[in-house]
Structures are given as structure tokens and as C-alpha cells.
Amino acid sequence: MALILVRHTRVDLPAGTCYGQADVPLLQPHDPPFDGVGQRLRALLGRIGADARLGPVVCSPLSRARLLAQHLATDHGQAVAVDPRWMELHFGAWEGRRWDDIPRVESDPWAADTHHRAPPGGETQNALIARVQAALAALHAPASQPGQAVLVVAHAGPLRVALGAAQGWVASADPQQAPVSLDFGGLTWLDPLPGGGWALRALNA
């Protein structure tokens, strides 16, 4: 079994907008195109193995992830399972606001310790990590057939948590502090390790 993580395509929001669990629309036409993501998925399956095929498809319930998941699943004759544990970090009262409009007296203490502090009405980074780790554990030994790849379509925050688990670093809620960048529509390939954990095989494929 392989695990393929996919970030949704670009959203139709002004730059600098805070959005996490707000169900914001995708940019139209899709950027990158859904069909292009599908072509790269087929190419990645070929890299995984000559007999590799898409198995279970899991996604966040937010439409920006669910629409891409449905497109890719349909292309491979699969159904989609929605798992809210793959939702983005909840920014509470900051959702939909420009980062520049959020008072520094609120945002600075949060930015100094995102793992233990939450935006007003939102969640901490530790809460995000806990739910993504639970979702990953559920995928580590799924009832899938040999040669199948499990596909997860989600958001940068939870995908960084998954990648951090594979690379041994702790994810941050601040993209500027993340060791790597995850492309919109990018595919990341992880392999489960026998004793638990994951090995990174490809990033932004």
C-alpha cells in the first residue's frame, strides 16, 4: 500500500486572506486544472509500481478538497469517503478576514506559540496534529489490496502534519516556518513503514 496526499487547487480569495475551515470557492478555471492533477496522479501510480492502482479515496469535507477528490475518484471508478479529521486548522473569529486587519495584540501571542494558543473560537496546532495523527493511524494498515494506493485530498495544514510525521519535524501553523512548501494540486507519496510511521518517496510530484 502507498499513501498519496494531494493539496486542493487554488482558491478564489484575495491574497492575504485568513481561511481555514471556511468553505471558500475554488478559482475558476481550476488552477491547476483537475485533469492535469489526474494526469500526474496516473504518472505517480506508474512510479509506485507497474500494477499500482488507485484504491480508497479520502478527503476533507470542505468543497475545495471534496470536488477534486470526487473528480479523481470518478476517473478511477472509486467512491469518496469524507473524513473531517483532514480539515484545515480552524481559525475561529479570524476566518475570512485579511491577516493585516487582525489586531497584532491578538495575532502576535498566537504566532509565538501556535501549538498551545488558538485564535479566538479556533483550535490549537496541537489539536490539528492530534486529529491528523489519528487519521494517519487509521490509514496505516487499511483493508486494501496489495498494489493499491490510498489517496487523501486535503489542505496544506494537515498535509504538513502528515509530511512532518514522515520527515521527523513538527508542523507549524505558519507557512513561513514550514520546512517545505506544498504546491496547490501537488502530490506527495508516502510509504508505510513496518514498525509504524511513514517514508517520504516523492514531494510535489
Side-chain angles (χ1 to χ4, degrees):
M1 184 206 86
L3 176 60
I4 301 175
L5 308 173
V6 185
R7 186 182 182 188
H8 62 78
T9 58
R10 285 180 173 82
V11 297
D12 190 9
L13 284 178
T17 301
C18 173
Y19 66 98
Q21 294 190 8
D23 203 6
V24 300
L26 288 172
L27 189 66
Q28 300 289 341
H30 299 134
D31 181 20
F34 281 9
D35 286 343
V37 178
Q39 291 171 4
R40 286 187 282 110
L41 173 59
R42 290 186 179 277
L44 184 58
L45 288 170
R47 289 174 58 186
I48 291 172
D51 62 343
R53 60 197 182 282
L54 193 65
V57 178
V58 181
C59 74
S60 156
L62 298 176
S63 62
R64 60 187 185 270
R66 181 169 40 81
L67 292 172
L68 177 57
Q70 289 171 339
H71 178 90
L72 298 174
T74 299
D75 200 31
H76 290 262
Q78 295 290 339
V80 174
V82 172
D83 186 342
R85 293 176 297 187
W86 288 102
M87 292 177 76
E88 184 57 277
L89 186 79
H90 186 18
F91 286 98
W94 297 349
E95 296 274 357
R97 298 174 64 182
R98 288 185 51 81
W99 282 106
D100 290 345
D101 293 337
I102 298 171
R104 295 289 295 271
V105 69
E106 295 181 18
S107 61
D108 283 355
W110 168 77
D113 187 5
T114 61
H115 288 272
H116 300 97
R117 292 192 175 104
E123 67 178 331
T124 65
Q125 184 74 10
N126 280 349
L128 170 66
I129 291 172
R131 58 180 167 86
V132 173
Q133 286 179 337
L136 278 172
L139 294 176
H140 199 280
S144 60
Q145 301 297 319
Q148 280 191 345
V150 177
L151 181 72
V152 174
V153 184
H155 316 269
L159 297 184
R160 284 195 187 97
V161 173
L163 184 57
Q167 293 295 89
W169 45 263
V170 178
S172 169
D174 183 355
Q176 302 302 319
Q177 297 179 11
V180 297
S181 175
L182 294 172
D183 295 344
F184 286 104
L187 290 80
T188 296
W189 165 22
L190 303 178
D191 271 342
L193 297 173
W198 303 85
L200 177 63
R201 304 301 187 198
L203 176 67
N204 290 323

